[in-house]
Amino acid sequence: MTPPAATAPRPARESPEGGVQTMTYREAIRLALREEMQLDERVFVMGEEVGLFDGSYKVTAGLMDEFGSERVRDTPISEEAFVGAGIGAAMIGERPVVEIMTLNFLLVAMDQVVNHAAKVGAMFGGEVRVPMVIRTPNGAGNQLTAQHSQSFDGWFAGTPGLKVVAPSNPADARALLKAAIRDDDPVLFIENLPIYKEKGEVDTEDDSLGEIGRAAILREGTDLTLCAHSFATVRCLEVADLLEQRHGYSVEVVDLRSLRPLDVETVAASVAKTNRALCVEEGWPSYGVTAELAARIQRACFDELDAPVERVGMAEVPLPYSKPLELGAMPGKDRICAAALATLEGAR
Amino acid sequence: MGESVATEDPSVETEHRLALYRAMVLSREFETEAERQYKAAKIGGYCHLSSGQEATTVGTVTALEEDDYLVTGYRCHGFALARGVSADSAMAELFGRQDGCAHGRGGSMHLLDVERHFYGGWGIVAGQLPIATGLALGIVRQDRSQAVLCELGEGAVNMGAWHESLNLASLWKLPVVFLAVNNEYGMGTAVDRASAEPEVFRRASAHRMHGERVDGNDLDAVVEAATRLLTLAREEREPAVLEAVTYRYRGHSVADAGLAYRTKDEIAEWSGNRDPIELERSRLLEAGVAAGEIEAIEDDAREEVKRAVEFAEASPEPALDGLARGMHAPGSEAQFAGMRAGSPFGEETLTFDAGLGS
């Protein structure tokens, strides 16, 4: 009767592929799942439509054929039960990767995530661990309307006991998902609907794990720091190019990658250099990720700031169906660009 | 522990009977003392007692094999003790001390003992059901012959987690027995004021799962039913609901006098005529056990509780620098290092197992 932390990986099969490949974010996630399932028999996937249907967003396509219906397990529509079942299996040494069709549906399992998974380590005095990953996409932009277009990243990132990661590109997605699966704590791995089709280079022979809690500087600059995660980072990179081409500004982009732990150190070092910060998120900014960032930036960089820390997020309404209304509410490039210019020029 | 009664023979030999009797008495004495210590302000928070329910507690736990799993709700003192958690570490946990089974982090509702496969008292009504279902899923994935006993109060059967868990357990043929302890009241709401089907075991049939009801104050009946159902779970992967009808003498928690929603006569009827410990005591006398031997066992249990209080009193309060003990796995320190910059919350002073000191 050994505690779960002491259980050893149960090796499965070797990976046949290698080399630098261009792939979508979706394919990078799938690759990480395959690799970890090949490496370790304890890793299994469960969720709604992950098997026969190939996944609602086709992330798990082909995995059931490869690994069988025991390791790629279709569940009933019972988020509370199968998130909890993931916790229980993890507590005795399994490594479940639970897919939630979208972050919106995680709300019905909130009790299991916040009041159970996040509590186990501390509440039981460190006697039990929950090495579980919950993967789920958030995001808006497809006219999915109020109940299916939300980003609650900040709610979960504000919960001690959880780790929350949300990478912005295929290489990081693969490396961080592998790290999350091997982490001994519950990790919420937030994906994004529009980001699934984004492409990038992935060195499939590089098996190093992503560093949870470590941000990345994706673009160097000296005039302004744009700070974001997940799909908002993709937008920020485009805005940074625009600002340079059209307005001649040198803009740095910090990709948070991880929300809890949050790498304020990297953010603060960037802001100390640029003296200006704009934080961007897909969710509602009130009490959100950008609110947290702004509070920490002003404290870490009070003497270095040449302008107030600005924020851009989703307009604070339940998202409407109408395409123009939806576009107007979202933190698109125009709004990010305008806020960036205000931050850059407002204080001049 | 683990000396299950054979299915075809519900009687137990005298020595085993005496051990079970002692476990019941220990639970009663432990909780009587816990209430006293609570009123003396040595124990804080919530404190849910199970006096009157000892036959259900001890009878089901004794039906577990050593490597079976146990999960309960928050009324968990008796289950912990019956599973072999020492009175010392349980009482120390109630006192919030370092030597408690959860090192003072869990308190009365969150006792556990991983070595004995007791995966916790849980505090949210029905929240432990999905987790117990997951332990059973883990057993299947590991291809082991084990079962999970998941305790819940009858008030939990109106939660969604109950239905979702029963469905999943039945659909996937998971080795779990849901023990619905029907003590007649969910806090102060009588079962027939809360449940459209007050015979809660019948709910199992909606999920094509076996359900049955047992007199939860009759130790023999509980042992027989629990042994049979756990064996079916373990060997045939047939989950089940076992409803044990019993009664709690004390209020919902120590803070509840327990009289607003029931009469003193009702309590007296159960405690006077249907007390599980008294029932078992008279069976032992009938079986020819000397009264002196029984009294010696009772004295011994009382002594154990007395020593547990002394142990708890002597155990240190947890050190403040261990505030975040166990919150994250060892090795997480480096992941959190970047949070120190600009932190108004003192993350740099939080320590995980190996320390996150600045």
Side-chain angles (χ1 to χ4, degrees):
Chain A
M1 292 197 285
T2 44
T7 62
R10 297 199 298 268
R13 281 170 288 176
E14 293 293 313
S15 173
E17 292 166 30
V20 176
Q21 297 173 22
T22 299
M23 66 178 74
T24 62
Y25 192 102
R26 180 192 337 265
E27 288 164 340
I29 298 278
R30 187 186 306 143
L31 178 61
L33 289 171
R34 279 187 62 223
E35 287 173 335
E36 292 306 303
M37 289 178 82
Q38 283 167 346
L39 275 172
D40 187 351
E41 182 77 20
R42 298 174 304 172
V43 179
F44 71 103
V45 171
M46 67 175 160
E48 294 152 4
E49 311 294 354
V50 296
L52 266 185
F53 196 89
D54 277 342
S56 265
Y57 298 101
K58 306 303 172 197
V59 172
T60 53
L63 293 183
M64 185 190 253
D65 286 343
E66 186 172 353
F67 296 100
S69 57
E70 296 289 313
R71 290 186 74 193
V72 182
R73 194 175 267 268
D74 280 324
T75 66
I77 304 171
S78 297
E79 284 86 357
E80 190 170 11
F82 68 77
V83 169
I87 298 171
M91 281 167 53
I92 56 170
E94 296 301 295
R95 301 230 157 216
V97 181
V98 175
E99 177 176 311
I100 301 289
M101 199 179 287
T102 83
L103 185 60
N104 307 279
F105 309 152
L106 197 51
L107 300 193
V108 297
M110 202 72 177
D111 179 54
Q112 286 298 323
V113 178
V114 174
N115 226 352
H116 291 81
K119 301 297 186 279
V120 168
M123 188 172 82
F124 291 132
E127 297 285 324
V128 196
R129 302 244 65 91
V130 180
M132 172 176 69
V133 175
I134 300 174
R135 293 180 36 242
T136 186
N138 67 10
N142 296 310
Q143 287 186 281
L144 299 176
T145 319
Q147 294 183 315
H148 292 80
S149 304
Q150 304 166 100
S151 301
F152 300 117
D153 315 10
W155 293 6
F156 296 98
T159 300
L162 290 180
K163 292 172 181 173
V164 182
V165 297
S168 72
N169 59 64
D172 281 347
R174 168 172 172 262
L176 278 168
L177 182 54
K178 289 162 75 77
I181 290 170
R182 295 194 210 179
D183 202 276
D184 286 332
D185 285 326
V187 180
L188 177 62
F189 192 92
I190 299 179
E191 299 162 17
N192 176 282
L193 296 180
I195 215 173
Y196 280 142
K197 62 182 187 313
E198 292 288 320
K199 288 183 178 168
E201 282 194 346
V202 176
D203 182 354
T204 57
E205 278 170 9
D206 178 4
D207 280 332
S208 54
L209 304 179
E211 283 185 82
I212 293 173
R214 190 57 61 195
I217 294 172
L218 295 188
R219 187 186 196 284
E220 294 200 358
T222 53
D223 297 330
L224 169 70
T225 298
L226 292 179
C227 212
H229 68 280
S230 191
F231 194 57
T233 302
V234 177
R235 297 184 201 273
C236 283
L237 285 168
E238 292 172 17
V239 169
D241 286 344
L242 284 175
L243 287 167
E244 181 167 339
Q245 289 156 14
R246 294 188 190 166
H247 304 276
Y249 288 116
S250 166
V251 177
E252 184 142 304
V253 176
V254 178
D255 181 15
L256 298 173
R257 300 197 289 194
S258 168
L259 301 180
R260 186 178 196 96
L262 181 66
D263 183 5
V264 189
E265 197 173 47
T266 297
V267 175
S270 172
V271 176
K273 180 175 72 175
T274 63
N275 310 114
R276 287 178 168 81
L278 170 63
C279 308
V280 183
E281 68 181 308
E282 289 270 303
W284 295 308
S286 289
Y287 306 93
V289 175
T290 52
E292 186 62 39
L293 275 171
R296 289 176 185 256
I297 290 170
Q298 63 84 19
R299 200 169 185 275
C301 308
F302 186 71
D303 292 332
E304 283 99 347
L305 284 170
D306 287 346
V309 178
E310 287 297 338
R311 304 192 282 146
V312 171
M314 183 69 75
E316 302 214 348
V317 294
L319 206 64
Y321 169 71
S322 146
K323 193 68 192 171
L325 289 181
E326 180 187 53
L327 280 174
M330 288 177 57
K333 282 181 279 186
D334 289 351
R335 284 180 55 208
I336 299 169
C337 207
L341 287 170
T343 307
L344 283 158
E345 297 170 357
R348 280 188 174 181
Chain B
M1 201 64 52
E3 296 172 50
S4 311
V5 187
T7 308
E8 63 274 14
D9 179 11
S11 69
V12 284
E13 55 184 293
T14 307
E15 202 169 311
H16 186 47
R17 282 207 97 96
L18 287 172
L20 298 186
Y21 180 72
R22 188 185 187 285
M24 290 167 66
V25 172
L26 179 66
S27 179
R28 178 75 57 89
E29 293 294 333
F30 182 93
E31 294 205 312
T32 304
E33 185 62 28
E35 183 165 19
R36 197 176 296 133
Q37 296 295 335
Y38 188 93
K39 286 174 176 164
K42 294 289 179 66
I43 295 172
Y46 294 137
C47 190
H48 307 89
L49 306 181
S50 61
S51 304
Q53 304 180 181
E54 290 88 351
T56 293
T57 309
V58 170
T60 52
V61 172
T62 196
L64 290 169
E65 295 290 340
E66 202 173 329
D67 62 350
D68 284 341
Y69 293 97
L70 172 66
V71 174
T72 73
Y74 44 76
R75 204 176 298 281
C76 63
H77 307 151
F79 284 95
L81 296 171
R83 190 57 172 160
V85 176
S86 75
D88 285 359
S89 72
M91 190 64 84
E93 190 57 39
L94 268 58
F95 274 57
R97 301 303 172 93
Q98 186 61 40
D99 298 308
C101 51
H103 309 290
R105 271 61 171 187
S108 162
M109 296 184 286
H110 305 303
L111 303 179
L112 86 158
D113 189 331
V114 169
E115 271 191 33
R116 292 180 170 81
H117 281 197
F118 171 34
Y119 274 78
W122 297 80
I124 303 297
V125 171
Q128 75 275 26
L129 274 70
I131 290 171
T133 305
L135 291 172
L137 174 61
I139 289 170
V140 170
R141 286 195 36 74
Q142 292 164 8
D143 199 22
R144 294 178 200 265
S145 180
Q146 295 166 318
V148 181
L149 178 68
C150 176
E151 184 269 352
L152 58 132
E154 94 289 335
V157 305
N158 300 310
M159 292 288 286
W162 155 271
H163 296 284
E164 291 193 21
S165 300
L166 262 62
N167 181 59
L168 209 60
S170 185
L171 186 71
W172 287 354
K173 302 205 177 311
L174 302 178
V176 54
V177 173
F178 297 99
L179 169 67
V181 179
N182 184 349
N183 61 19
E184 313 277 333
Y185 296 92
M187 275 194 82
T189 304
V191 60
D192 58 4
R193 293 177 64 221
S195 182
E197 175 48 274
E199 295 180 349
V200 300
F201 73 96
R202 297 188 187 282
R203 298 273 190 97
S205 68
H207 304 284
R208 293 200 174 185
M209 186 187 288
H210 173 75
E212 70 180 67
R213 187 178 246 200
V214 66
D215 177 352
N217 282 17
D218 181 338
L219 183 64
D220 283 348
V222 173
V223 171
E224 187 280 323
T227 302
R228 179 165 40 79
L229 296 186
L230 283 165
T231 303
L232 278 173
R234 199 182 297 119
E235 293 176 4
E236 310 294 331
R237 303 250 162 98
E238 285 181 22
V241 169
L242 176 60
E243 177 187 2
V245 177
T246 181
Y247 198 80
R248 77 170 140 74
Y249 300 155
R250 315 304 298 163
H252 167 70
S253 72
V254 175
D256 165 32
L259 293 169
Y261 47 88
R262 56 187 190 175
T263 63
K264 283 185 175 168
D265 285 350
E266 182 182 293
I267 301 169
E269 159 63 19
W270 282 87
S271 63
N273 301 323
R274 302 177 66 176
D275 183 72
I277 294 179
E278 284 301 320
L279 181 64
E280 186 55 19
R281 197 177 204 276
S282 45
R283 279 181 182 163
L284 288 169
L285 289 169
E286 276 168 31
V289 179
E293 193 177 349
I294 296 174
E295 280 158 24
I297 284 173
E298 292 162 350
D299 289 343
D300 189 53
R302 269 190 285 274
E303 270 304 306
E304 185 175 346
V305 171
K306 196 176 155 205
R307 283 196 307 274
V309 171
E310 289 164 7
F311 177 85
E313 294 263 23
S315 175
E317 309 268 8
L320 200 54
D321 65 6
L323 183 59
R325 174 191 170 128
M327 180 166 74
H328 287 296
S332 298
E333 294 79 13
Q335 297 176 353
F336 281 82
M339 271 186 110
R340 290 178 189 149
S343 167
F345 307 124
E347 274 92 346
E348 68 276 14
T349 66
L350 292 181
T351 41
F352 304 141
D353 281 347
L356 182 67
S358 45

